Each structure stands twice: as structure tokens, then as C-alpha cells.
Amino acid sequence: MSAIAGNWVAVGTVDDIPRRGARCVKNGDMTIAIFRTADDRIFALEDKCPHRNGPLSQGIVHDGCVTCPLHNWVISLETGQAQGADEGATAAFPVRIDGSQVLLALTPAAEKAA
Amino acid sequence: MKEKLVIIGNGMAPGRMLERLFEAAPGRYDVTIFNAEPRVNYDRIMLSPVLSGEKSFEEIVIHGDGWYIDNGITLYKGHKITGIDRAAKTVTSDKGEIASYDKLVIATGSNPFIIPVPGHDMPGVLTYRDLDDVNAMLLAAQSRDKAVVIGGGLLGLEAAAGLSERGMAVTVLHIMPTLMERQLDPAAGYLLQRALEERGINVMCKANTKAILGDGKVEGVELADGTVIPASLVVMAVGIRPNAQLASDAGLTVNRGIVVDAGMRTSDADIFSLGECAEVDGQVYGLVAPLYKMAEVAASRLSGDETARFEHMDTPTKLKVTGIDLYSLGDFAEGDDREEIVLRDAAAGVYKRLVLKDNRIVGTVLYGETADGAWFNDLKKKQTDISEMRETLIFGQAYQGGGQLDPMAAVAALPDDAEICGCNGVCKGKITGAIAANGLTTLDGVRAHTKASASCGTCTGLVEQLLSLTLGDAYNPAAVTPMCGCTDLGHDDVRRLIKAKGLKTIPAVMQELEWKTSCGCAKCRPALNYYLVADWPDEYADDYQSRFINERVHANIQKDGTYSVVPRMWGGVTSSKELRAIADVVDKFGIPTVKVTGGQRIDMLGIRKEDLPAVWADLGEAGFVSGHAYAKGLRTVKTCVGSDWCRFGTQDSTGLGIRIEKFMWGSWTPAKVKMAVSGCPRNCAEATCKDVGIICVDSGFEIHFAGAAGLDIKGTEVLGHVKTEDEALEHIVALVQMYREQGRYLERIYKWARRIGYDEVRRQIMDDAEKRKSYYDRFVFSQKFAQVDPWSERVSGKDKHEFKPMATLSLEAAE
């Protein structure tokens, strides 16, 4: 059901995602988590914590970050960078809202850290 | 090709060595560790606070399992190395594992010395060396009986204070005329003895142990003069010996310890040794600061830096007994070329002594007032000529150069290179620099960034003074620990204000209590959600986005992102129909692992998230509801077969367990709650290590509480005795409700009860019938809204979005 316009892929509507929650988009072997914050901003990260590959989509969303459900690493939704004293990053994908449609670009915003 | 580094021993020294090595030469070695102790690296010098109950084992772990995985280390726990083959360059463990090495590090530590008096090998005679010793002492302490500690040195006195804190009547036997004679002069030793006696610890000096008495188990200790001291526990803390046998068997040079050069190399150039087992320049060390220094030298050498050298260092001795301040450093023997300055204030219990040679400090003993220790240490280290300030030297730094009598002034005046944390070698400048650079405002922050105060903790006061010097009024050490970074309020204040202000939603709490973040964090949101559920069961709408994933999807998340599901089996009883239904579900969904849990339930592991609703639907059809195995709530009530089947059963323990579980399931609590009912004192359901346990006896029911069998192992306390099942139910329900209303989120019953006081819990639940009834009624009221099976709710479509992807893109779209 995904219409492709240029680089952008429509993956669903904003209302499909609970506030302060996430939904997943499967893209081949990769899972991308689409997050919606309390103030309705949308972000996309590869659904893998840089620590032990925990599914970030299952974490608690707060203040522009998500806390990984496995070991409580806090990851920035915007950059995919681990916060605090932890180091590492997961891939962040550009995402935008067109009307109520959520559009996702499948090229990571920045090179993923090794 | 990576080089192979094998380490024998997993104590604090090799742990620190690896941290430094990974910084200096990341990826250079494949590391394999063999550890005879079956656990990860922990802070051994903090065992005393664990014994006294001030800390838990979790709090003293230095490197958890994750650290080893993250760093690609192969850790063999519980493997003792039995031989080193230097020609083949291999080591062999007692379990038959053989590992080859390019470089080998021997860090086998030391063994406690045991006086070979008659009876020394009886059960009930312990040493004080590792966590197993501490656990054994804690078990023994539950008897509230008498203990004898042989050895009046640092470890012996810490053990004695810990056991006394745990309720034992303790006698310390010390062979010398005064305590800690190697670190303290007789005057300070006397003050220490008096302070211990004031705490109810009996101290006998010049006591020469002749035998340990008893028939099969310890009954007492006999001294050379014939005195007999009754005891059911004897702790020997008379010293340690470097554990050098393995090295010696391998043909390495060994004196008292394994002989190493200043670069920590043994007589074999590819073998290093460090820690308590190593001997440098004729000296062996037992305090952590020089051992950490060895670790740094060894790491440098292993990373290719051949210049690092270990040099002898003096380390201050401090006793980790709360309320006793003691500091000793250097050499304080008398001598013709020595002078001394002594200050005594008998009323205040203060004693200070400085030993001088050529107007320079060579030794310091401080008792009762130790704040100037770091300053004296600094003068000694720098060999400062003190003749100018001789008149006022003993009064400390505040009296120098017209300085005012301000406790802060001493710390403020310390130079930046003055050592604050001896254990980790952290100086003042590094701490103040880290505070400024990282905007630190708490002790924990300083610990995380500098490691200062993170080992034995005796420098905590100094670090706090540095925090308040650097931050001014912004630092308030007396403040309660905030719930998290989003608020300055502690859990208790938040709970109180939720009630007092009638706050009934998370946004209302955050607004009224001035939260610093827009929507909290993963620490405070689940806590607030619980407090609101517990306080307003009829009015509050549960916030699913503030629950951890396990509670949000009613299954346990596992390491690979799959889930496990545990259906409720009331009282642990099942039937062929239930087992058949479980077997069918396992087959239908290809569930890879089926496991019986410690709480007598069946765990199905490895279920994909999207399959969960279908699994629940099938289980629900067979009559199962969720076992809440994931919940901060009532999990299981374990039972034995009781009077129905057992020859010894006194009551229907199975029936009572089922009744309790059916009554209480679905209730949310601050942390998980596990219960058990045993049909007789043989205790087959293991009720005495549960949050709440019942032991059935002929005359009724003995109710227990506040046990634990996780990282902390703790037997239960007795709440009281009741005659009927109905009374038993009312009492435990009231107890759990009291905990629900007062517990801090994630605080288990045993921690809550310790904080509130066991007697206070007994008073409210056993003695105050009115209070008990009102707790009971509030629990019953809240159950009206709680006993909803979350599985059937999900099967009927609630939160459907959780279990399905939002979109599945075709492969072309991914290029």
C-alpha cells in the first residue's frame, strides 16, 4: 500500500501512531520505528538500540528521546545518538508529514556509526 | 591477528587493568578471564556495607555481565585454574577448559589465614573474604545469637560492626593489647575500643584463642586462660596470605607473593601479576589504591608502553563503620629522631597525633575528627616544612594563615593536586574540573565521571564539600534523592502531594509539582502511573504509554525482542486439560522453549510479538488468564500439597494459596510481589524467602514477610500468628495494601519494611485491628477495578495497533 513519490514513501497516517508511542515499518530485513511525541512531532529510527539491538519501538517515549526497553539506554529521536554517558548511535531517517500522511525517506539522515 | 590475553582472577585489580587497557589499546587483545568465584567483578571493599545492610550486592557490582559482552571478553565463572604450562603457553581449568595465551596475567588475590586451632574446620567457622562469606554471615545473623570475631584489625572490626548491626551479640577477640595496632597508636586504639563497646560490641584484647568448641557445630571459643565465650558463629579475620601457589607450581619466582618488577612482570616475561598476590620490591599490598596503581602500570605495559613503573605508596587507612571516624597514614613509631604533636579532647572523643621528623610529617593518626586527613597527607607527600605553622598545625588547615574556622575553608585551601579519593587516585582539580565541565550537581554524577568516592566511599564528605564549594547554594546534600532528573522531589513527597492536592492525572502532577521536563522520563512516568493507579483506583485512567513494555503488552520481553507468556495456574495446580491446551499452543505457534518457573508456573518463551494476541486467544479459550509474570503486581502464590496429601501437612496450604491468589491477582504494587504457603514448618513451598509467606502450623498460621531471594538473599521476618484462614487472608491483604500505599516505585517489600521498621509494620497490621480493617477495605475496593484479564482485553481488540506493523514496504522501495 505504499505510494512512492521521489525519495519519500508514505507509510500511514499520524493517527496510526499513539502519542508518546511508536509503530514499526518493515522494510525488507530492516525494521524502522516511527515515533510520535506528546506534541505530535514524528521521528524515525532504525529499530535497534546501539547497545544490544533492543527494539526501541517498544520503549518509553519522553522529551524527544526514547528509553530502550532492554537496558534503559536513552536515545535521541532526532539524531539516533545515545544520551548521557553512553556512546553509540542508531540510524535516523528523514520523515515528514504531508496533511495527515507520514512520509519516510529510506536513506539514513547521517551515516550510521559503526 | 589479535594477541591472546588470558587473566586468572576477576577481582578489582584486573577489572581496573582491563578498563585502562581498552582505553589505551582498543582491540589489541582477545581477552579470556577465568574466575574461581561464580560471579562478575564487584567492589570487594564494599562488602562491609553489604553485611551491615547499608548497601545491596547490586550496588557494589563494578562490571555487570553486559560489560564483558560489550568488550568481547570470554568470562569463565566458577572456573579455577589448576595449572599453567609455560612451555606450551596454556592454562587449564578444573572443568577441563584449556586456553592458550600470548600474555598471561595472574591476579589470584589472597587467601584468608585460618588459625589452625582445634575446631577451626567446623561448620559455623567462617572467614571474611567474598560474597559467599557475607551471605553465610547474614544467614547466621538471623538466629540473633552470639558471634565471636577473631581479629581486631580493619576487617575483623567491620565484620563485628556488621554482625552487631544485624542483631547478633558480638565479641571481638584480639591477641594484641590494643585494636588495629598496626595502624593506630595505643591511645587511638583505646578510643576505638570504647566506641565499639558503646555500640554493644564486647572487645577482649590480649585474647589468645586456644580452641573452637562444639560437637559437630560451633558452640563457643576457649581462650588460653581457660575463659569460654559461647557463640554459634566464629569469624576469623586475622590476616591474608598472597595466593601464589599456582605461580609457584609453574616455576615462577615466589617469595611472600609472586615476585614482579616495577612493570608488574614476573620472572617469565610473558606473564604478569598484579593485586594482592603480587610482591613488588619486597612488599605486598592489601589496600585498593596501590592495587589500582598496579593495574594501571600493567595496562600500560600490555599496551606497549614500557616506561610505566610502580612505586611504593602509602595509603591512608579508614574504618568503614558508620559513625566511627578514623584515619591513619604513614609511620608513627616512636624514635630518637621523631617528635610528635598530640591533641586530646576526651569529652568530644577526639584524638589527633602527628609524627614529625626534621619538621616534616611522617605519620598521622586521627580519631573522631578526620577532616584534615587529606591536608596532612598532602603535607606528608610533598614533604612540606611545617616549622612556620607548628604552633597551630594540629588544629588543621582552617587555622593556618589567619584562615577562619569554616569547615569548608580546609577543602577550599587544598591545592588542585591534593588527593581526595585515595582508592582511585583522584585529585581535587580533577573533581572540580569534572563538575564544571559536565555541569555535575550530584554525588552520583561525580562518581560516574571521575570514580571519586565510588569505591570505599570514605572520601564522600570531601567530595560533597567540593560540590558545595563549586556550586554554592545550588548543591544541597541534605536534600532527599529526587525521583529522577525531572523533579527535585523525592518519591515520598510526590506520593504525599498527589493525595494532599488531589492530583489525578500525570499532566496534573507534572503541572502542580513543577516538573522540569515536558513529559517526564522513563523513570518517573511509570512511577507516577503506579501512584495514581494505587491512590485513585476508581478515577484514574491507566496511561499505557507510561508503562514498561512488559506491562504494556502483558508478556515479558526477552533479549532478542521476542516475548514469553506465563498463564496463571492458581496455587501452582494444573490439570490434564490445561496441560493439553498449553501443549497445543506450543505446537501451533512453534514456541521454542517451555520452562517451569520458580513460582510453579509454565513459561512459554520465544513468541513473536505479532503472535501474542492469537496465543492469548487460544490460552483464554482453555480458561487461562494472564499470570502477570511481567507485572509490578502479584505474581504467584507458591504452595506445597498440604494436609490433602502430605503426611506432615497441618492445614490445607494448597487451598489457602489458591484462595489468596484468586483474591489478590490483578493488583498493582510498587514492585513485584511473590508469595508462598507451606503446610508445615518443613516449608516445602519455601515461604521464608518470599515477599509474604505463610507457614501453617497445628495451631493456625504463622505469617511471614519481607523476604527476598534475588540478588539480595534475605529470610523473612515474622509478622505474627493467627488462628484461622480468614484472619490470615485479612492480615496479608492489609499488609500488602500498606505496602501499596507507602512503597516507593520499584522498592520491594523487604526494602520498604526495613525503611519503615518491622515493628511499625507489626504494630499497624497485628495490633491495630481498626487500621488493619481499613487497609483491607481499601484493597478490596481497588480490586473491583483491577481484576480484569489483560489478555482477553487485547484479544477483544484493545490496543490492536501494538501488535501489527504500521506498514510493510516492498523490497523495491528499499532499492
Side-chain angles (χ1 to χ4, degrees):
Chain A
M1 292 285 289
S2 42
I4 300 175
N7 255 340
W8 297 95
V9 189
V11 291
T13 68
V14 174
D15 289 338
D16 290 338
I17 312 168
R19 277 208 178 98
R20 294 173 299 145
R23 293 290 300 277
C24 291
V25 171
K26 303 256 185 201
N27 180 32
D29 287 341
M30 184 189 274
T31 303
I32 298 170
I34 316 284
F35 297 89
R36 177 180 178 187
T37 61
D39 53 359
D40 289 341
R41 287 177 300 152
I42 304 283
F43 298 97
L45 298 177
E46 184 178 0
D47 196 19
K48 266 174 142 178
C49 180
H51 175 220
R52 301 272 299 274
N53 295 336
L56 296 172
S57 57
Q58 315 295 299
I60 288 182
V61 175
H62 54 91
D63 263 7
C65 293
V66 58
T67 296
C68 177
L70 290 194
H71 306 100
N72 293 328
W73 278 37
V74 178
I75 308 296
S76 160
L77 293 178
E78 194 166 344
T79 64
Q81 290 282 344
Q83 305 292 292
D86 297 324
E87 283 175 24
T90 191
F93 294 86
V95 63
R96 66 184 173 92
I97 303 173
D98 181 11
S100 67
Q101 281 292 313
V102 176
L103 300 175
L104 171 70
L106 292 173
T107 317
E111 275 309 304
K112 195 184 148 192
Chain B
M1 188 67 184
K2 283 188 182 182
E3 292 175 72
K4 281 185 250 161
L5 173 64
V6 170
I7 303 171
I8 307 173
N10 195 31
M12 299 172 71
R16 174 58 60 95
M17 180 192 80
L18 284 176
E19 282 177 15
R20 291 286 182 267
L21 181 60
F22 293 149
E23 281 167 24
R28 172 158 174 174
Y29 291 98
D30 259 334
V31 181
T32 303
I33 304 177
F34 289 91
N35 188 25
E37 255 192 277
R39 48 183 73 91
V40 293
N41 183 13
Y42 63 94
D43 192 342
R44 197 183 295 277
I45 49 180
M46 293 308 273
L47 284 175
S48 291
V50 172
L51 178 61
S52 65
E54 287 163 53
K55 287 209 184 278
S56 67
F57 179 67
E58 305 107 278
E59 291 174 89
I60 70 164
V61 168
I62 300 175
H63 297 137
D65 284 304
W67 186 83
Y68 295 93
I69 295 165
D70 289 346
N71 287 293
I73 300 168
T74 309
L75 170 63
Y76 290 97
K77 296 182 198 172
H79 276 246
K80 191 175 153 68
I81 291 296
T82 51
I84 301 169
D85 183 338
R86 286 167 56 201
K89 292 185 119 179
T90 58
V91 299
T92 305
S93 86
D94 58 351
K95 306 236 165 80
E97 199 65 44
I98 297 175
S100 63
Y101 64 84
D102 296 306
K103 293 277 186 289
L104 177 67
V105 174
I106 305 176
T108 42
S110 59
N111 292 325
F113 182 61
I114 294 172
I115 319 171
V117 292
H120 72 270
D121 48 4
M122 249 186 298
V125 180
L126 298 175
T127 56
Y128 185 20
R129 178 73 195 148
D130 59 24
L131 186 70
D132 295 326
D133 296 329
V134 170
N135 286 336
M137 281 191 240
L138 290 177
L139 273 178
Q142 285 178 9
S143 66
R144 300 276 183 276
D145 208 348
K146 297 186 182 66
V148 164
V149 175
I150 303 177
L154 206 60
L155 267 187
L157 296 182
E158 289 182 6
L163 291 171
S164 165
E165 200 68 30
R166 294 287 187 173
M168 295 193 93
V170 183
T171 300
V172 175
L173 302 180
H174 192 48
I175 195 158
M176 301 304 286
T178 57
L179 296 174
M180 289 181 70
E181 76 289 343
R182 277 195 290 169
Q183 292 88 12
L184 300 181
D185 56 18
Y190 164 77
L191 282 171
L192 176 60
Q193 178 170 347
R194 211 178 57 181
L196 291 168
E197 284 166 350
E198 273 166 18
R199 294 161 171 247
I201 296 171
N202 185 25
V203 179
M204 298 172 73
C205 288
K206 299 187 202 164
N208 191 1
T209 304
K210 184 173 144 199
I212 296 168
L213 308 174
D215 186 12
K217 66 176 176 37
V218 169
E219 283 160 18
V221 175
E222 184 182 354
L223 301 183
D225 65 4
T227 313
V228 170
I229 305 140
S232 59
L233 170 70
V234 172
V235 178
M236 285 216 197
V238 291
I240 53 175
R241 288 197 164 163
N243 186 6
Q245 192 60 46
L246 191 62
S248 155
D249 291 346
L252 298 172
T253 309
V254 171
N255 289 335
R256 270 178 75 202
I258 303 166
V259 175
V260 294
D261 63 13
M264 309 318 295
R265 266 200 176 89
T266 66
S267 51
D268 179 330
D270 288 327
I271 304 182
F272 292 76
S273 178
L274 76 165
E276 288 178 335
C277 59
E279 175 181 323
V280 201
D281 213 9
Q283 293 246 32
V284 292
Y285 293 87
L287 293 168
V288 73
L291 302 183
Y292 274 176
K293 184 71 197 164
M294 289 180 180
E296 289 176 8
V297 171
S300 300
R301 290 291 175 117
L302 283 169
S303 67
D305 169 10
E306 289 294 326
T307 60
R309 292 179 61 80
F310 178 85
E311 274 158 22
H312 169 74
M313 58 196 282
D314 273 340
T315 312
T317 304
K318 301 160 191 171
L319 187 68
K320 288 183 299 300
V321 174
T322 306
I324 296 183
D325 291 324
L326 182 159
Y327 182 100
S328 151
L329 175 80
D331 178 1
F332 47 90
E334 291 174 22
D336 288 343
D337 55 349
R338 306 279 172 95
E339 298 170 274
E340 55 179 14
I341 304 175
V342 175
L343 171 81
R344 291 177 200 270
D345 182 343
V350 171
Y351 171 84
K352 303 183 186 183
R353 177 163 176 239
L354 296 173
V355 183
L356 306 175
K357 186 177 167 185
D358 301 332
N359 282 322
R360 284 164 177 86
I361 297 177
V362 295
T364 307
V365 181
L366 304 175
Y367 184 91
E369 217 178 82
T370 54
D372 284 311
W375 183 62
F376 290 132
N377 187 10
D378 195 50
L379 294 177
K380 171 179 172 292
K381 205 160 89 185
K382 295 196 175 129
Q383 288 292 291
T384 309
D385 186 329
I386 52 84
S387 39
E388 294 279 295
M389 50 184 161
R390 192 181 172 109
E391 301 296 303
T392 53
L393 181 65
I394 194 81
F395 300 113
Q397 190 175 20
Y399 284 86
Q400 310 311 319
Q404 292 172 356
L405 184 56
D406 172 358
M408 275 321 183
V411 181
L414 282 175
D416 270 353
D417 63 348
E419 186 171 271
I420 301 292
C421 173
C423 297
N424 293 286
V426 186
C427 63
K428 177 182 164 185
K430 186 162 174 197
I431 296 172
T432 50
I435 293 172
N438 302 300
L440 307 179
T441 56
T442 62
L443 191 60
D444 281 343
V446 174
R447 285 175 179 158
H449 283 87
T450 68
K451 290 211 154 57
S453 149
S455 292
C456 84
T458 45
C459 63
T460 300
L462 284 171
V463 174
E464 288 195 308
Q465 286 175 356
L466 286 176
L467 273 162
S468 73
L469 274 172
T470 318
L471 300 174
D473 290 342
Y475 179 67
N476 179 8
V480 287
T481 314
M483 273 177 77
C484 63
C486 304
T487 177
D488 295 327
L489 296 168
H491 284 267
D492 297 340
D493 280 333
V494 170
R495 291 211 79 167
R496 183 175 53 77
L497 291 166
I498 285 174
K499 274 291 194 194
K501 291 178 176 256
L503 306 175
K504 294 181 183 173
T505 64
I506 290 181
V509 173
M510 291 183 175
Q511 181 62 34
E512 284 293 315
L513 305 186
E514 300 180 358
W515 238 243
K516 292 188 271 187
T517 53
S518 67
C519 69
C521 69
K523 274 187 181 162
C524 60
R525 285 230 315 267
L528 293 180
N529 190 55
Y530 167 72
Y531 295 152
L532 293 164
V533 168
D535 285 350
W536 319 108
D538 51 339
E539 294 175 72
Y540 177 67
D542 207 334
D543 175 22
Y544 269 70
Q545 298 307 133
S546 294
R547 285 192 179 271
F548 292 119
I549 182 66
N550 284 351
E551 289 185 348
R552 209 163 68 233
V553 303
H554 308 282
N556 284 331
I557 193 167
Q558 302 297 340
K559 60 185 266 187
D560 60 354
T562 65
Y563 290 81
S564 74
V565 159
V566 181
R568 213 168 261 295
M569 266 178 195
W570 309 100
V573 175
T574 186
S575 66
S576 59
K577 175 175 162 279
E578 286 188 348
L579 291 171
R580 206 167 281 125
I582 287 176
D584 286 344
V585 168
V586 169
D587 286 345
K588 180 167 167 190
F589 294 94
I591 293 171
T593 299
V594 182
K595 164 109 184 49
V596 175
T597 71
Q600 302 176 334
R601 306 296 185 271
I602 288 177
D603 194 2
M604 289 172 267
L605 293 126
I607 303 173
R608 296 185 312 153
K609 190 178 179 187
E610 43 272 44
D611 286 341
L612 285 174
V615 167
W616 294 333
D618 283 9
L619 290 172
E621 228 156 82
F624 285 113
V625 298
S626 168
H628 288 92
Y630 45 80
K632 313 286 176 231
L634 177 76
R635 295 202 177 168
T636 55
V637 183
K638 195 172 172 178
T639 63
C640 67
V641 295
S643 53
D644 269 6
W645 291 96
C646 177
R647 288 178 296 150
F648 304 108
T650 63
Q651 310 278 357
D652 176 15
S653 53
T654 318
L656 177 56
I658 293 171
R659 184 173 168 196
I660 293 170
E661 189 168 354
K662 290 205 160 162
F663 197 90
M664 300 185 78
W665 76 277
S667 59
W668 301 104
T669 44
K672 65 182 171 185
V673 172
K674 294 178 172 182
M675 300 192 185
V677 185
S678 280
C680 77
R682 283 170 186 76
N683 194 18
C684 294
E686 294 162 343
T688 51
C689 60
K690 293 289 182 284
D691 295 288
V692 181
I694 294 183
I695 305 285
C696 302
V697 289
D698 273 329
S699 59
F701 304 86
E702 196 172 80
I703 305 174
H704 289 241
F705 73 119
L711 272 169
D712 267 353
I713 298 179
K714 190 186 166 306
T716 47
E717 305 286 324
V718 175
L719 182 72
H721 180 275
V722 296
K723 287 198 179 67
T724 66
E725 256 195 20
D726 289 350
E727 286 174 285
L729 185 72
E730 179 176 308
H731 282 72
I732 66 167
V733 165
L735 170 72
V736 170
Q737 179 65 17
M738 183 177 173
Y739 163 61
R740 295 182 72 219
E741 292 176 13
Q742 299 179 356
R744 298 169 185 164
Y745 193 63
L746 301 184
E747 182 181 49
R748 293 279 302 272
I749 286 187
Y750 71 101
K751 289 192 174 165
W752 159 76
R754 191 192 292 154
R755 174 163 66 82
I756 301 288
Y758 303 123
D759 284 340
E760 180 59 22
V761 179
R762 286 184 196 108
R763 196 185 62 71
Q764 295 199 22
I765 302 299
M766 296 304 302
D767 305 342
D768 189 338
E770 208 173 306
K771 201 145 209 166
R772 177 173 68 240
K773 188 72 177 52
S774 67
Y775 279 129
Y776 177 85
D777 289 344
R778 285 199 293 277
F779 184 89
V780 170
F781 176 71
S782 98
Q783 280 299 77
K784 286 205 282 189
F785 312 95
Q787 284 193 329
V788 179
D789 176 35
W791 286 357
S792 62
E793 268 190 335
R794 296 303 170 291
V795 170
S796 66
K798 185 170 158 38
D799 296 321
K800 228 178 188 162
H801 63 82
E802 271 284 0
F803 305 98
K804 283 195 304 200
M806 183 178 175
T808 303
L809 305 180
S810 64
L811 285 170
E812 289 92 324
E815 291 172 323

